């Protein structure tokens, strides 16, 4: 029997890349027929350090070969202890972040659900402010704060307890979501109650690679602090170095009350998520929020190895920022060359988007790139943005190669 006939119609990536992949290393995947593809998708940023990084793989194999514990719920294990020690020493400590660490379950949406639940528990309030263009996950609480209509439409039930506001730059920047929120809260006849939290991505990935300005983020943090609203930063796709620093909010000089992490946290593509929050917010009762697979010890092992390998100094952060300037320049050249088709190029670090005026052109560019051996996905309200998420560990030659293929793909699509 054809194996693909057994899989649900819900599958998506396999439709755009209709080959069977077999092996992967670094920035490249190989299909079962031996064709090699350059990966500018990186597991939707779950593989910031590339595929099968040898240091992480060795740590994982050594752990498995000695019969290390694989599954432990939230029991104490050597692997968890090692990860927490490394995370405290290499991430929280140097940044002066007094956060408690919660293991909410294996995925990003688990982290968001825990954050929303905790914010409501702490404040006793129900409403959460979210933004246009946001994506926070596919479970019901996360969908309620997600903006995309097609994803919300799959919920099957009403999604409520959310106030939606314009994100930075919405409607050409003509509408200020922060001014609107402040004014609504000032007006006792606005019908808006004080919310429990605001949840925000510093760079909207699925929304079309939309970076919020650092000043806008700082203003949002100030508003939340002044009003007694908890600030939740969803750093699931943009954390772990994707924009340069370990946390994407660092450049804005803000300290969120709650942070959601997942994707590249394990460093190896293994399921793992954290919800971080200020110590005084740790009001959970034992077992009040739990999950069977919140103790993924192989993921703890590779996560600790990734922290030792990549976050012992600032080398990776600086390298990513330099490469971000390269992408800004090359994509800017494409935007200038094809102004009738390209509406914008935007991004930060190694998360970039090339926005097209017509979604069909973006799809054509992505398909043309695949035909030439480059994996890129599309995002945005109508999938009108070609999204670039290469591994942070890609070589300079690989980045140049991928950008060259993208340039060829745009030309082939536009000039066809």
């Amino acid at each position: 029997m054809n194996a693909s006939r057994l899989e649900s119609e819900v599958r998506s990536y396999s439709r755009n890349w209709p080959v069977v992949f077999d092996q992967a290393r670094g920035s490249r995947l190989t299909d079962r027929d031996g064709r090699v593809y350059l990966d500018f998708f990186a597991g939707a940023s779950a593989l910031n350090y590339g595929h099968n990084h040898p240091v992480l793989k060795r740590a994982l194999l050594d752990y498995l070969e000695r019969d290390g514990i694989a599954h432990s719920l939230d029991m104490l294990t050597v692997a968890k202890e090692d990860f927490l020690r490394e995370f405290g020493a290499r991430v929280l400590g140097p940044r002066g972040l007094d956060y408690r660490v919660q293991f909410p379950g294996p995925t990003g949406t688990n982290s968001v659900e825990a954050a929303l639940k905790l914010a409501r528990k702490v404040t006793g309030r129900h409403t959460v402010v979210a933004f246009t263009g946001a994506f926070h996950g596919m479970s019901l609480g996360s969908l309620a704060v997600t903006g995309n209509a097609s994803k919300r439409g799959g919920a099957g039930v009403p999604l409520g307890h959310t106030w939606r506001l314009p994100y930075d730059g919405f409607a050409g920047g003509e509408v200020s979501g922060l001014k609107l929120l402040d004014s609504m809260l000032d007006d006792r006849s606005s019908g808006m109650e004080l919310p429990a939290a605001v949840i925000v991505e510093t760079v909207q990935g699925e929304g079309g690679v939309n970076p919020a300005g650092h000043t806008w983020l700082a203003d949002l943090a100030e508003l939340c602090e002044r009003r007694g609203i908890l600030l939740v930063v969803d750093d699931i796709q943009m954390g772990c170095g994707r924009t340069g620093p370990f946390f994407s909010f660092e450049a804005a000089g803000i300290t969120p009350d709650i942070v959601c992490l997942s994707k590249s946290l394990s460093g190896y593509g293994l399921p793992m998520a954290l919800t971080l929050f200020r110590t005084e917010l740790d009001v959970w009762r034992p077992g009040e929020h739990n999950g069977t697979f919140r103790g993924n010890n192989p993921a703890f092992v590779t996560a600790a190895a990734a922290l030792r390998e990549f976050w012992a100094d600032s080398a990776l952060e600086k390298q990513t920022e330099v490469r971000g300037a390269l992408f800004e320049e090359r994509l800017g050249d494409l935007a200038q060359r094809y102004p009738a088709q390209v509406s914008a190029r935007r991004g930060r670090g190694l998360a970039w988007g090339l926005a097209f005026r017509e979604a069909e052109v973006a799809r054509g560019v992505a398909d043309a790139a695949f035909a030439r051996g480059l994996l890129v996905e599309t995002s945005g309200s109508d999938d009108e943005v070609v999204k670039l998420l290469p591994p942070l560990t890609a070589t300079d030659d690989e980045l140049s190669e991928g950008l060259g293929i993208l340039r060829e793909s745009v030309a082939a699509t536009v000039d066809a």
Side-chain angles (χ1 to χ4, degrees):
M1 176 180 285
N2 187 333
S4 64
R5 292 183 181 178
L6 292 174
E7 190 174 359
S8 166
E9 293 298 323
V10 77
R11 64 190 183 278
S12 60
Y13 290 115
S14 59
R15 298 179 187 275
N16 295 327
W17 303 326
V19 298
V20 179
F21 293 106
D22 184 41
Q23 294 179 302
R25 181 161 187 174
S27 301
R28 300 186 188 269
L29 294 93
T30 304
D31 70 20
R32 67 178 173 190
D33 295 322
R35 185 177 182 189
V36 179
Y37 297 81
L38 182 59
D39 187 3
F40 270 29
F41 171 61
S45 199
L47 296 164
N48 283 1
Y49 315 120
H51 298 268
N52 286 304
H53 190 281
V55 172
L56 278 58
K57 179 166 68 174
R58 186 70 264 161
L60 177 60
L61 291 175
D62 287 347
Y63 183 77
L64 295 176
E65 286 172 353
R66 72 170 186 81
D67 291 332
I69 293 171
H71 177 270
S72 64
L73 291 101
D74 69 353
M75 293 185 289
L76 300 177
T77 65
V78 169
K80 181 199 278 191
E81 198 172 64
D82 184 40
F83 165 74
L84 286 170
R85 186 182 302 112
E86 294 292 342
F87 192 73
R90 301 185 189 277
V91 176
L92 300 182
R95 291 161 180 81
L97 296 172
D98 181 23
Y99 285 151
R100 288 288 180 94
V101 179
Q102 179 180 355
F103 299 93
T107 71
T109 200
N110 290 123
S111 178
V112 171
E113 294 286 355
L116 299 178
K117 189 174 175 180
L118 180 62
R120 288 168 170 143
K121 180 178 174 62
V122 167
T123 64
R125 303 190 292 266
H126 304 121
T127 304
V128 173
V129 171
F131 292 95
T132 55
F135 177 77
H136 297 290
M138 298 297 285
S139 51
L140 291 181
S142 301
L143 275 179
V145 291
T146 288
N148 186 277
S150 64
K151 292 180 173 64
R152 289 172 60 86
V157 296
L159 299 171
H161 302 295
T162 303
W163 282 95
R164 187 81 49 191
L165 291 176
Y167 189 71
D168 191 23
F170 182 80
E174 296 179 5
V175 181
S176 171
L178 302 190
K179 184 175 181 180
L180 177 60
L181 176 59
D182 221 12
S183 299
M184 293 278 282
L185 292 175
D186 269 338
D187 189 339
R188 297 180 63 185
S189 296
S190 69
M192 185 178 193
E193 299 177 354
L194 187 68
V198 172
I199 186 166
V200 67
E201 301 156 275
T202 66
V203 180
Q204 293 181 333
E206 297 304 306
V209 194
N210 304 311
H214 296 327
T215 299
W216 187 88
L217 290 167
D219 289 345
L220 173 61
E222 186 278 330
L223 187 158
C224 288
E225 183 176 13
R226 173 165 44 86
R227 295 285 186 177
I229 304 167
L230 297 179
L231 176 60
V232 182
V233 168
D234 179 343
D235 228 7
I236 290 165
Q237 187 165 91
M238 296 300 160
C240 301
R242 176 53 61 182
T243 66
F246 187 87
F247 295 110
S248 71
F249 56 79
E250 292 181 53
I254 65 174
T255 303
D257 299 293
I258 304 175
V259 181
C260 301
L261 283 176
S262 186
K263 287 196 181 288
S264 276
L265 189 59
S266 79
Y268 205 75
L270 299 177
M272 181 179 176
L274 300 180
T275 306
L276 311 175
F277 40 84
R278 291 188 290 106
T279 298
E280 58 267 33
L281 302 180
D282 193 8
V283 298
W284 292 118
R285 295 190 300 273
E288 189 174 11
H289 187 88
N290 58 47
T292 302
F293 294 100
R294 63 194 187 277
N296 186 355
N297 287 266
F300 298 160
V301 170
T302 56
L307 292 173
R308 286 189 286 266
E309 180 71 12
F310 296 107
W311 297 100
D313 55 33
S314 61
L316 181 66
E317 176 180 346
K318 291 176 180 177
Q319 175 181 275
T320 299
E321 291 171 350
V322 169
R323 290 170 161 186
L326 169 69
F327 272 64
E328 184 173 22
E329 177 186 349
R330 296 285 184 85
L331 296 181
D333 290 344
L334 276 175
Q336 289 182 345
R337 184 173 179 181
Y338 300 103
Q341 291 80 24
V342 178
S343 60
R345 62 94 171 87
R346 51 186 182 248
R348 187 169 292 149
L350 280 177
W352 285 87
L354 193 64
F356 290 86
R357 301 186 190 280
E358 297 181 3
E360 294 79 6
V361 178
R363 180 72 264 154
V365 170
D367 290 343
F370 175 70
R372 290 164 171 76
L374 176 69
L375 302 183
V376 294
E377 69 168 330
T378 57
S379 66
S381 299
D382 299 305
D383 282 323
E384 76 283 5
V385 179
V386 172
K387 183 179 177 185
L388 310 172
L389 297 170
L392 308 183
T393 53
T395 66
D396 290 338
D397 287 344
E398 287 170 336
L399 295 178
S400 293
E401 178 187 348
L403 289 168
I405 294 174
L406 177 68
R407 183 178 62 250
E408 294 173 8
S409 302
V410 173
T413 303
V414 171
D415 298 336

